[in-house]
Amino acid sequence: MIAVPGARIHIEDFNNLAAYHKKILAKNYKFNRPSLDKASWSPNAICMQAIDPFGNRLTFTEEV
């Protein structure tokens, strides 16, 4: 996969997203404090959106 700064990337079928979310928040980053939400496109999925240092939007999704 090739992406330029500012790209949107979807990471599907992520395992244990709630634990990863907790780990990210524990780092106490000043500007990147993503929320864990229900996915609007699936009633059985959760998602977390984060922005990496290059401005890429990362969307992590897990079916629960």
Side-chain angles (χ1 to χ4, degrees), residues 2-10 50-58:
I2 299 173
V4 295
R8 180 176 292 269
I9 301 167
H10 293 269
I51 300 174
D52 73 8
F54 302 102
N56 299 307
R57 293 183 172 274
L58 310 173

Side-chain angles (χ1 to χ4, degrees), residues 3-60:
V4 295
R8 180 176 292 269
I9 301 167
H10 293 269
I11 299 101
E12 297 177 354
D13 300 323
F14 197 87
N15 290 322
N16 210 352
L17 184 55
Y20 186 62
H21 175 254
K22 194 175 197 179
K23 187 176 181 178
I24 295 280
L25 292 182
K27 293 187 181 278
N28 227 3
Y29 293 129
K30 185 176 182 181
F31 297 108
N32 198 1
R33 305 206 33 90
S35 62
L36 190 60
D37 303 305
K38 289 184 178 184
S40 61
W41 58 88
S42 173
N44 299 323
I46 56 172
C47 66
M48 177 181 77
Q49 294 186 20
I51 300 174
D52 73 8
F54 302 102
N56 299 307
R57 293 183 172 274
L58 310 173
T59 302
F60 298 88

